[in-house]
Amino acid sequence: MNEKLSSLPSPYALTTDNTELVFVKKDALWRVAHYGERSNVAADAVLLTECRYNAESFGRATLETYPSFGADYGDNDGQMGMCKYGAIQAQHADGNTTVQWRCADAWLAADEEDVEHVVFDLEDTTRPFRARQHFRAVKAADVIETWVELEHDEPAPVRLSIMDSFGLDFANIGTEFEVLSVCGQWACEAVQDSTRLARGQRIDLGSRSGVRDAWENNPAVMVSLGCPLDEDRGTVFAGALAWPGAWEISVQHTLHHILRVRAGAANLSGAYVLDAGKRLTLPKFVFTYSTQGMGGASRALHRWARGWHLPHGKVVRDVLLNSWEGAYFDFTEKTLTDMMDGTAKLGGELFVIDDGWFGRGAHARNDDTCGLGDWIWNEEKLPKGLAYLVKEANARGLKLGLWFEPEMANTASDLAEAHPDWIIREKNRPLRVGRGKSQVVLDMSNPAVRDAIFDQVDAVIRSANGLSYIKWDANADFMNAGSTYLDADHQANIWFDYTVGVMELIARLRAAHPEIVYQACSSGGAHADYGWLAYADEFWGSDNSCAQQRVFIQWGEELFYPACCVASHVTVSPNHQTHRTSPLKFRFDVAFSGRLGFELHPKGMTEEEIRFCTDAVESYKRLRTTIQQGDLYRLVSPYKNDHAALMFVSADRRKAVVCVYGMARLAMQGNPAPLHLRGLYPNLRYRITEINKAAESHIGPLEGKAFGGDALMTQGLPFTLGNEDDSLVLELTAE
Ligand code: GLA
């Protein structure tokens, strides 16, 4: 609970370094008068909004900070209307289906330095139903976090059919809007697309998986405000919902050019049943306003994530080798120690044992049909145990990581056989199963299930005695919609309570073992979201490790999430998913623009390949602070060009890394246009070196020379590029 510092004066501008969200009190409620660039005079923003909209449609917008289904809105001629686009819709104990808020208190809450925190305490005008709404401005990131807590003292439960975290109507923000989102599926995550939102139209994004929340759509959106969507220019609103369950975000453009944005958890089986006295905390929505196009919006979200959201956001990430594509289920202790030898030789710092190390007897996990839920090492496969493997890794200067899938079980497991009621299932209907024809989702709304899984995972961590990393996988959707833990009246709560339960479980493990780094994985990149990233340090980008396709996948993911959390691994050629061949250099250069790792058995590499990798890993280590912690500038989009280019610039702008990838390029078409670099100091001179070189230089006579930042940004840097699969990485250092 944050302490109250003072009451909120009206109007009030909640500010970040470059933006402001202006609130004004009108009658019993606070409204949003303005969101955009900072002007510092809140009263001006209010007057400018009101003058414009009184004449037209001020009354038709629902500008309250938390619009409710059933709120009044007055018309200019005295007629009354009712808000039907509420961010909250509740059926009260007496059956009434509307909410009418009044603000009981509006105050500034104590928070960390450089964060300003406004709270609105709302209560229904006639029923004991309350919301506490938070807006938390993270100054240096230009990002505002918002969330809502709900509770009531009604004589019976309140049913919430809509319970959004965010619902603002922006009335003075533009007349033309283009909406960008990313969508995906297994092996094709984060496909970027956009469309102009015509007047009167609404776009709904969402995920109905319950688990793989970032596939169908990723829970994030960008909207251009009054201009076409552009990488570098124009104003952009961007927001992301930190909720790894079922969710919905909608963006609407009304006749009167109101931009209406709603975002929140989705209740797919019916209204959420909130009991009296229980406090429901809705997920965080974070948003930013950029005057530098999509690029500015991405950089703001990245800065916020690294500085204020990710658990170890400022810590550089280890170079790792994951065993999955190198061994799959087929390994012995010797396979693993051989892989450790290879990892150390390549310059890696962490070795991760993927799926297949656990389960015993008939449930030993040697394929995907059994064993999930039995988190105990397979004695036949690994007779010396996990502590031995940690020691072996440490002896080679490596840390050790382990794969888990804590939310899941196979029906063929000791756990599920002993506790069939711990599975998410429907009463009197056959159980649907997923992967391996036996995978099921555990009922994480049930504290006994969470305790049992916590105890097992905790025991593994303790017995390993020095585990450094956990890959937390989740390879199923909700296939059944019921809980044997929740009573008949609360069945629909499973969607929300499951997600709360999973987050509680990982939070508990983190608290017990704060040294462990987590990767969120869900059949590849289905956990690329800020809900998971409140607890996990990174996510696996995709099971598709084909470098050509990874350029697109990482491009889409890095629109919203910083490079430090996009796990990106060099794998073998031909690629296991697409069967495409591509040069090691290309595969390496693509992995270079995320959190670099390997996923192969190094014993298959030639001495020359190992030498290339060792040098390139050394370069990555030298530059990883710039890549993982720097500002991302997307220079050339693979969606519109035959190559892609992006660059990372260090916080002090003295160091930069440029990556260029040849995509589907036709032969003999000449070189691309010079690269207009960005983010440099115009007056500084930057020395340019090409790294990860396999053959001849791509910048020829420019190699090793220094150029002014202004020339590099305006005239651009010429370079050569061969056909597809050619690539280059440049290091820039200010003199
Ligand atoms: C999922 C993950 C993979 C791997 C396998 C193991 O598909 O995305 O990286 O861990 O599970 O079964």
Side-chain angles (χ1 to χ4, degrees):
M1 211 352 233
N2 297 68
E3 185 200 333
K4 178 171 173 174
L5 294 179
S6 61
S7 295
L8 203 68
S10 176
Y12 187 81
L14 177 68
T15 57
T16 65
D17 284 356
N18 298 294
T19 70
E20 64 183 15
L21 180 64
V22 178
F23 299 111
V24 60
K25 190 157 191 237
K26 191 151 180 178
D27 306 325
L29 282 173
W30 288 73
R31 295 173 160 207
V32 169
H34 174 60
Y35 181 48
E37 273 179 279
R38 194 168 161 172
S39 70
N40 293 319
V41 186
D44 286 355
V46 174
L47 201 60
L48 288 167
T49 303
E50 290 202 345
C51 283
R52 183 164 171 202
Y53 283 92
N54 266 341
E56 301 168 23
S57 59
F58 191 61
R60 289 275 170 217
T62 311
L63 299 171
E64 287 80 28
T65 59
Y66 194 39
S68 59
F69 176 89
D72 295 339
Y73 61 61
D75 224 334
N76 294 327
D77 57 8
Q79 290 185 42
M80 294 289 281
M82 163 186 151
C83 169
K84 295 175 185 126
Y85 288 97
I88 175 127
Q89 177 165 28
Q91 181 169 30
H92 300 277
D94 61 3
N96 172 279
T97 59
T98 62
V99 174
Q100 296 193 341
W101 296 126
R102 74 168 156 240
C103 187
D105 199 5
W107 45 285
L108 278 166
D111 209 311
E112 56 188 272
E113 212 185 316
D114 286 334
V115 171
E116 204 181 350
H117 189 157
V118 165
V119 180
F120 296 106
D121 282 329
L122 307 172
E123 57 190 25
D124 188 84
T125 49
T126 55
R127 287 159 177 86
F129 178 68
R130 294 175 294 277
R132 171 164 285 179
Q133 187 182 28
H134 301 258
F135 288 93
R136 194 170 176 266
V138 181
K139 304 245 168 206
D142 284 325
V143 163
I144 298 178
E145 302 174 357
T146 183
W147 71 99
V148 173
E149 299 162 83
L150 297 172
E151 61 177 10
H152 70 90
D153 304 312
E154 300 194 21
V158 169
R159 291 167 191 276
L160 304 165
S161 47
I162 300 173
M163 44 187 222
D164 287 337
S165 302
F166 178 85
L168 290 186
D169 286 8
F170 298 109
N172 53 345
I173 210 156
T175 55
E176 180 190 346
F177 305 104
E178 191 175 336
V179 178
L180 173 139
S181 60
V182 300
C183 60
Q185 246 300 334
W186 186 77
C188 62
E189 286 83 348
V191 175
Q192 170 192 326
D193 216 336
S194 62
T195 184
R196 188 172 164 268
L197 190 57
R199 281 167 91 174
Q201 286 184 338
R202 186 174 80 179
I203 285 181
D204 288 326
L205 307 171
S207 165
R208 295 184 159 225
S209 162
V211 179
R212 292 161 168 149
D213 62 285
W215 262 1
E216 206 173 332
N217 291 123
N218 188 287
V221 70
M222 288 199 195
V223 187
S224 70
L225 308 170
C227 52
L229 200 56
D230 184 84
E231 179 58 36
D232 301 309
R233 276 171 289 274
T235 48
V236 168
F237 170 90
L241 186 69
W243 183 244
W247 59 270
E248 224 165 66
I249 297 178
S250 72
V251 187
Q252 190 177 354
H253 176 187
T254 72
L255 172 70
H256 296 105
H257 303 304
I258 308 281
L259 179 72
R260 173 171 293 146
V261 185
R262 301 283 182 267
N267 294 321
L268 300 183
S269 311
Y272 187 91
V273 179
L274 182 63
D275 295 325
K278 192 180 159 197
R279 177 174 286 235
L280 191 70
T281 303
L282 303 178
K284 251 184 208 173
F285 182 76
V286 299
F287 58 101
T288 187
Y289 176 94
S290 154
T291 52
Q292 292 168 39
M294 294 153 61
S298 298
R299 287 186 289 280
L301 289 174
H302 295 174
R303 218 174 307 132
W304 164 79
R306 289 189 304 260
W308 289 270
H309 189 65
L310 290 166
H312 302 123
K314 294 283 185 192
V315 180
V316 291
R317 305 299 152 86
D318 290 330
V319 174
L320 64 80
L321 188 142
N322 176 299
S323 68
W324 183 240
E325 283 200 26
Y328 294 106
F329 291 105
D330 186 16
F331 55 82
T332 60
E333 270 164 357
K334 170 86 169 61
T335 322
L336 299 179
T337 51
D338 284 352
M339 284 179 126
M340 290 178 196
D341 285 336
T343 309
K345 211 165 161 189
L346 290 167
E349 297 155 310
L350 165 70
F351 174 66
V352 182
I353 307 172
D354 209 280
D355 197 353
W357 58 268
F358 53 92
R360 288 188 177 172
H363 297 148
R365 175 91 169 170
N366 291 314
D367 57 33
D368 63 9
T369 59
C370 66
L372 293 178
D374 299 344
W375 301 109
I376 181 151
W377 79 91
N378 179 345
E379 283 171 321
E380 281 171 47
K381 219 167 174 172
L382 308 172
K384 295 185 187 140
L386 296 173
Y388 161 79
L389 291 167
V390 169
K391 270 201 199 130
E392 288 297 306
N394 293 166
R396 292 162 176 82
L398 303 173
K399 301 171 189 166
L400 193 84
L402 217 49
W403 181 96
F404 287 89
E405 204 175 344
E407 304 153 60
M408 304 287 163
N410 288 110
T411 47
S413 65
D414 295 355
L415 183 100
E417 285 176 6
H419 302 282
D421 55 322
W422 283 4
I423 294 168
I424 289 197
R425 64 195 319 153
E426 296 165 28
K427 252 192 185 162
N428 299 325
R429 293 207 191 280
L431 181 70
R432 297 183 196 95
V433 290
R435 187 181 178 195
K437 298 196 177 67
S438 75
Q439 181 156 341
V440 286
V441 183
L442 289 173
D443 187 350
M444 286 292 161
S445 72
N446 182 346
V449 179
R450 299 199 297 269
D451 286 349
I453 300 296
F454 174 88
D455 288 347
Q456 284 199 51
V457 178
D458 179 66
V460 171
I461 297 171
R462 286 176 200 284
S463 75
N465 195 19
L467 197 68
S468 301
Y469 178 101
I470 287 180
K471 174 174 173 179
W472 183 305
D473 212 336
N475 294 310
D477 301 317
F478 273 27
M479 295 158 281
N480 307 278
S483 165
T484 46
Y485 171 71
L486 298 171
D487 66 20
D489 196 39
H490 293 77
Q491 284 295 301
N493 290 10
I494 187 64
W495 298 89
F496 192 86
D497 290 357
Y498 170 84
T499 307
V500 172
V502 176
M503 294 297 102
E504 197 238 80
L505 177 60
I506 188 171
R508 227 161 118 194
L509 283 163
R510 276 211 90 110
H513 306 283
E515 69 288 358
I516 291 185
V517 166
Y518 284 82
Q519 178 185 82
C521 173
S522 182
S523 310
H527 276 166
D529 66 78
Y530 281 125
W532 267 99
L533 291 173
Y535 302 99
D537 305 277
E538 60 175 34
F539 57 81
W540 177 223
S542 175
D543 276 354
N544 184 345
S545 63
C546 173
Q548 275 274 340
Q549 302 193 7
R550 268 299 182 122
V551 171
F552 288 96
I553 292 169
Q554 291 170 199
W555 191 269
E557 290 172 340
E558 290 180 11
L559 278 166
F560 297 102
Y561 309 101
C564 64
C565 52
V566 182
S568 179
H569 297 172
V570 178
T571 57
V572 295
S573 173
N575 180 267
H576 287 187
Q577 294 78 38
T578 61
H579 310 294
R580 239 187 107 100
T581 54
S582 56
L584 178 61
K585 172 175 165 53
F586 187 79
R587 285 177 274 142
F588 207 102
D589 287 354
V590 171
F592 212 81
S593 59
R595 194 281 286 131
L596 173 75
F598 295 89
E599 195 159 323
L600 43 74
H601 196 323
K603 77 171 180 210
M605 298 173 88
T606 64
E607 278 308 312
E608 196 190 334
E609 285 176 330
I610 291 189
R611 215 171 314 116
F612 172 84
C613 287
T614 319
D615 289 351
V617 165
E618 217 180 285
S619 297
Y620 184 80
K621 287 180 181 166
R622 184 177 68 252
L623 297 172
R624 67 180 151 189
T625 307
T626 302
I627 296 169
Q628 296 177 4
Q629 296 287 318
D631 275 336
L632 168 68
Y633 291 87
R634 290 179 290 264
L635 306 178
V636 181
S637 167
Y639 281 92
K640 295 183 190 146
N641 301 278
D642 64 4
H643 63 292
L646 46 88
M647 70 186 284
F648 298 96
V649 181
S650 65
D652 66 3
R653 292 161 74 183
R654 301 188 64 86
K655 197 94 199 147
V657 178
V658 178
C659 303
V660 184
Y661 310 118
M663 306 305 290
R665 280 171 61 74
L666 300 175
M668 305 302 289
Q669 298 288 306
N671 289 315
L675 270 183
H676 292 268
L677 303 188
R678 305 218 43 221
L680 305 175
Y681 275 120
N683 300 331
L684 281 186
R685 296 189 73 75
Y686 294 85
R687 193 163 296 284
I688 304 182
T689 327
E690 180 170 358
I691 56 170
N692 302 356
K693 252 188 296 191
E696 65 207 49
S697 165
H698 290 84
I699 51 169
L702 309 183
E703 177 75 53
K705 295 207 167 63
F707 298 91
D710 47 2
L712 293 171
M713 293 192 289
T714 55
Q715 190 177 336
L717 178 76
F719 65 103
T720 61
L721 190 67
N723 297 340
E724 58 185 29
D725 287 342
D726 192 14
S727 58
L728 59 141
V729 178
L730 304 173
E731 174 178 356
L732 274 72
T733 311
E735 306 257 270

